[in-house]
Coordinates of all heavy atoms in Angstrom, one line a residue:
S1 N 19.4 150.5 48.9 CA 17.9 150.6 48.8 C 17.4 151.0 47.4 O 16.3 150.7 47.0 CB 17.4 151.7 49.8 OG 17.9 152.9 49.4
W2 N 18.3 151.6 46.6 CA 17.9 152.0 45.2 C 17.7 150.8 44.3 O 16.9 150.9 43.4 CB 18.9 153.0 44.6 CG 19.1 154.2 45.4 CD1 18.4 154.7 46.5 CD2 20.2 155.2 45.3 NE1 18.9 155.8 47.0 CE2 20.0 156.2 46.3 CE3 21.2 155.3 44.4 CZ2 20.8 157.3 46.4 CZ3 22.1 156.4 44.5 CH2 21.9 157.4 45.5
S3 N 18.4 149.7 44.6 CA 18.2 148.5 43.8 C 16.8 148.0 43.8 O 16.3 147.4 42.9 CB 19.2 147.4 44.2 OG 20.5 147.9 44.2
A4 N 16.1 148.2 45.0 CA 14.8 147.7 45.1 C 13.7 148.7 44.9 O 12.6 148.6 45.4 CB 14.6 147.1 46.6
G5 N 14.1 149.7 44.1 CA 13.1 150.8 43.8 C 13.0 151.9 44.9 O 12.1 152.7 44.8
G6 N 13.9 151.8 45.9 CA 13.9 152.8 46.9 C 14.4 154.2 46.5 O 14.4 155.1 47.3
D7 N 14.7 154.3 45.2 CA 15.1 155.6 44.7 C 14.0 156.6 44.7 O 14.2 157.8 44.5 CB 15.6 155.5 43.2 CG 14.7 154.8 42.3 OD1 14.4 153.6 42.6 OD2 14.2 155.4 41.4
K8 N 12.7 156.1 44.9 CA 11.6 157.0 44.9 C 11.2 157.4 46.4 O 10.3 158.2 46.6 CB 10.4 156.4 44.2 CG 10.6 156.2 42.7 CD 9.4 155.5 42.1 CE 9.7 155.3 40.6 NZ 10.8 154.5 40.3
E9 N 11.9 156.8 47.4 CA 11.7 157.1 48.8 C 12.7 158.1 49.3 O 13.8 158.3 48.7 CB 11.8 155.8 49.6 CG 10.8 154.7 49.1 CD 9.4 155.1 49.3 OE1 9.1 155.9 50.3 OE2 8.5 154.7 48.5
P10 N 12.4 158.8 50.4 CA 13.4 159.8 51.0 C 14.7 159.0 51.3 O 14.7 157.9 51.7 CB 12.7 160.3 52.2 CG 11.3 160.1 52.0 CD 11.2 158.9 51.1
I11 N 15.8 159.7 51.1 CA 17.1 159.1 51.3 C 17.4 159.1 52.8 O 17.4 160.1 53.5 CB 18.2 159.8 50.6 CG1 18.1 159.6 49.1 CG2 19.6 159.3 51.0 CD1 19.1 160.4 48.3
A12 N 17.6 157.9 53.4 CA 17.8 157.8 54.8 C 19.3 157.9 55.1 O 20.1 157.4 54.3 CB 17.2 156.5 55.4
P13 N 19.7 158.4 56.3 CA 21.1 158.3 56.7 C 21.6 156.8 56.7 O 20.8 155.9 56.9 CB 21.1 158.9 58.1 CG 20.0 159.8 58.1 CD 18.9 159.1 57.3
G14 N 22.8 156.6 56.4 CA 23.3 155.2 56.3 C 24.6 155.2 55.5 O 25.5 156.0 55.6
T15 N 24.7 154.2 54.6 CA 25.9 153.9 53.8 C 25.7 154.3 52.4 O 24.7 154.0 51.8 CB 26.3 152.5 53.9 OG1 26.6 152.2 55.3 CG2 27.5 152.2 53.1
V16 N 26.7 154.9 51.8 CA 26.7 155.3 50.4 C 28.0 154.7 49.7 O 29.1 154.8 50.3 CB 26.7 156.8 50.1 CG1 26.8 157.1 48.7 CG2 25.4 157.4 50.7
R17 N 27.9 154.1 48.6 CA 29.1 153.7 47.8 C 29.3 154.7 46.7 O 28.4 155.3 46.1 CB 28.8 152.3 47.1 CG 28.9 151.1 48.1 CD 30.3 150.8 48.5 NE 31.1 150.6 47.3 CZ 31.1 149.5 46.5 NH1 30.4 148.4 46.9 NH2 31.9 149.4 45.4
A18 N 30.6 155.0 46.4 CA 30.9 156.1 45.5 C 32.2 155.8 44.7 O 33.0 155.1 45.1 CB 31.0 157.4 46.2
R19 N 32.3 156.5 43.5 CA 33.5 156.5 42.7 C 33.6 157.9 42.2 O 32.6 158.6 41.9 CB 33.5 155.5 41.6 CG 33.4 154.1 42.0 CD 33.4 153.1 40.8 NE 34.7 153.0 40.2 CZ 34.9 152.3 39.1 NH1 33.9 151.6 38.5 NH2 36.1 152.3 38.5
M20 N 34.8 158.4 42.0 CA 35.0 159.8 41.4 C 36.0 159.7 40.3 O 37.1 159.2 40.3 CB 35.6 160.7 42.5 CG 35.4 162.2 42.1 SD 36.5 162.8 40.8 CE 38.0 163.3 41.7
F21 N 35.5 160.2 39.1 CA 36.4 160.3 37.9 C 36.6 161.8 37.6 O 35.6 162.6 37.6 CB 35.7 159.7 36.7 CG 35.4 158.2 36.9 CD1 34.1 157.7 37.1 CD2 36.5 157.3 36.8 CE1 33.9 156.4 37.3 CE2 36.2 155.9 37.0 CZ 35.0 155.5 37.2
G22 N 37.8 162.2 37.4 CA 38.1 163.6 37.2 C 39.0 163.9 36.0 O 40.2 164.4 36.2
P23 N 38.6 163.6 34.8 CA 39.4 163.8 33.6 C 39.9 165.2 33.5 O 41.0 165.5 33.0 CB 38.5 163.4 32.4 CG 37.5 162.5 33.1 CD 37.3 163.0 34.5
G24 N 39.0 166.2 33.8 CA 39.3 167.6 33.7 C 40.5 168.0 34.6 O 41.1 169.1 34.4
L25 N 40.7 167.3 35.7 CA 41.8 167.6 36.6 C 43.0 166.7 36.5 O 43.9 166.7 37.3 CB 41.3 167.5 38.1 CG 40.2 168.5 38.5 CD1 39.8 168.2 39.9 CD2 40.8 169.9 38.4
G26 N 43.0 165.9 35.4 CA 44.1 164.9 35.2 C 44.0 163.7 36.2 O 45.0 163.1 36.4
I27 N 42.8 163.4 36.8 CA 42.7 162.3 37.7 C 41.8 161.3 37.0 O 40.6 161.5 36.9 CB 42.0 162.8 39.0 CG1 42.9 163.9 39.7 CG2 41.8 161.6 40.0 CD1 42.2 164.6 40.8
A28 N 42.4 160.1 36.7 CA 41.6 159.1 36.0 C 40.5 158.6 37.0 O 39.3 158.4 36.6 CB 42.5 157.9 35.6

């Protein structure tokens, strides 16, 4: 929804895509 400007609307339950980078913990 954020692609269509939905970043200004309340976040609804659903699906989230994520990535985690942890250089400080030795995790690329």
Side-chain angles (χ1 to χ4, degrees):
S1 63
W2 299 350
S3 301
D7 53 297
K8 297 178 177 60
E9 302 296 328
I11 295 178
T15 298
V16 174
R17 286 284 309 279
R19 297 179 72 182
M20 197 289 271
F21 299 107
L25 294 177
I27 302 172

